[in-house]
Amino acid sequence: MISRKELLFQVVLHIVVFLFYSFDRNNPRITWIQVLFFLVYALGVAFITYYLMPKFLYQKKHWRFFGAVALVIIGMVLLEELVLEKIFYPNTRRANVIPGIYYIWFDILPIIAILSGFKFGWDALRKQEQIDALQSTVQESELQFLKSQINPHFLFNNMNNLYSYALEGSSKTPEIILELSGVLRYMLYECKEKFVPLTKEIEQLHNFIKLNKLQIEHRGKIHFDIDHINGNYRIAPLILIVFIENAFKHSQSGQSRDIKIDIRIRQSGATLIFGCKNNHMASQTLDVVAQGIGLQNVQKRLQLLYPDRHKLQIEEGPNSYEVQLTMELEKTETT
């Protein structure tokens, strides 16, 4: 079905083409006969663009399409020469069939090419809009799927830690549960949007680090430094937290003391610079930790949300693991 926007476009296009081909500087008049002849062309083009193109050209039946177009053009030529010219221009040179057929090609073919070409371009633009909308929908679904995987991954890791503290009867178990519930509340309810305020995300990083500090206790040092954070910017939620969680897992894997984790976040204009470095004991499970679900997901989300606007570097040494991430942030929309 033709939309109102397309109908208006076609009407304006037909008027412009008609005026262009009907205007004669020596006789600047438009007659109803010229209108009638142009209507024949317009009807032929309408049959080509609204029937033959969807039925054959867009179905990749090219030979059928061009054959049908040739028949339509031949039919239009014969109609004009054998019927219309005989009726409106009898006993004139225009009524002479053989020369008339030769000259009419210069009238019909440009009109068909212009009107059909604009219709093809219109359909191409509409198809591209549909493709863009579909890609956006697919990308959004993929992002939601990746984000949904982070929550169970985070919960699974922390529930294991909480279980071990409960078995030991640690007095910090209630405090850990309280901090854990706060972080989960943010993950489940407050970061459903594609982007969240940067200050809100960093606040949750504070809570998350505090939660993990309770588990490390006096077995190491955690350094968290923030500098020049601008509250007018937004960030995709649950990006940085995955790297921090990864650092805590590294440090605690096979290591019971001298844990060192250094986390630094600073902002320069729209660029956020994030660094996270941790030590770890040599362990055969390190590769499994480094290539966990959460890390793979966040790398995929960065590719989808910040294409060509981020740089991620991961350096792994015998006893250290370092992440450097720079990303161009979205500015907060003003209302």
Side-chain angles (χ1 to χ4, degrees), residues 93-262:
R93 185 173 62 84
R94 294 192 60 159
N96 194 334
V97 175
I98 301 302
I101 291 177
Y102 174 78
Y103 288 110
I104 198 174
W105 289 103
F106 296 99
D107 291 334
I108 290 181
L109 291 182
I111 295 176
I112 291 178
I114 292 173
L115 296 179
S116 299
F118 272 95
K119 170 60 177 172
F120 181 81
W122 179 277
D123 290 345
L125 288 175
R126 188 177 61 178
K127 182 63 68 175
Q128 187 61 47
E129 289 176 356
Q130 294 174 349
I131 292 174
D132 291 342
L134 181 61
Q135 288 178 338
S136 178
T137 302
V138 171
Q139 186 181 87
E140 186 63 30
S141 298
E142 186 173 2
L143 285 171
Q144 291 297 330
F145 172 72
L146 292 173
K147 191 189 295 185
S148 69
Q149 285 186 312
I150 293 176
N151 294 336
H153 181 247
F154 166 82
L155 183 60
F156 175 78
N157 292 335
N158 281 276
M159 288 301 292
N160 279 342
N161 293 331
L162 182 60
Y163 176 72
S164 62
Y165 275 91
L167 288 179
E168 296 172 1
S170 173
S171 61
K172 293 188 177 182
T173 301
E175 188 177 358
I176 293 175
I177 294 175
L178 184 62
E179 293 293 337
L180 178 60
S181 65
V183 174
L184 285 176
R185 186 182 303 110
Y186 173 74
M187 287 184 168
L188 295 173
Y189 301 111
E190 298 182 30
C191 61
K192 291 184 178 181
E193 298 297 325
K194 195 172 184 179
F195 298 98
V196 298
L198 177 60
T199 52
K200 187 69 173 178
E201 183 74 6
I202 291 180
E203 178 185 342
Q204 295 307 312
L205 294 182
H206 272 291
N207 296 336
F208 180 77
I209 292 171
K210 183 179 179 181
L211 172 64
N212 282 276
K213 277 185 176 180
L214 290 173
Q215 300 176 35
I216 290 178
E217 295 180 321
H218 303 294
R219 293 180 292 144
K221 294 181 179 180
I222 312 299
H223 181 74
F224 185 33
D225 182 59
I226 303 174
D227 190 24
H228 293 96
I229 297 301
N230 190 331
N232 296 323
Y233 287 86
R234 304 179 302 161
I235 187 174
L238 309 180
I239 291 284
L240 305 181
I241 197 171
V242 175
F243 296 113
I244 296 175
E245 180 190 12
N246 199 54
F248 279 103
K249 284 197 65 180
H250 274 182
S251 297
Q252 297 179 67
S253 178
Q255 186 169 347
S256 59
R257 58 188 177 83
D258 295 329
I259 295 173
K260 295 179 182 179
I261 300 177
D262 186 16

Side-chain angles (χ1 to χ4, degrees), residues 242-295:
V242 175
F243 296 113
I244 296 175
E245 180 190 12
N246 199 54
F248 279 103
K249 284 197 65 180
H250 274 182
S251 297
Q252 297 179 67
S253 178
Q255 186 169 347
S256 59
R257 58 188 177 83
D258 295 329
I259 295 173
K260 295 179 182 179
I261 300 177
D262 186 16
I263 304 165
R264 299 178 185 271
I265 302 175
R266 65 184 180 91
Q267 188 176 355
S268 176
T271 303
L272 185 74
I273 304 167
F274 169 82
C276 183
K277 184 176 181 180
N278 64 273
N279 65 339
H280 62 78
M281 297 288 290
S283 171
Q284 294 185 3
T285 62
L286 181 59
D287 289 339
V288 177
V289 174
Q291 300 174 9
I293 296 174
L295 188 57

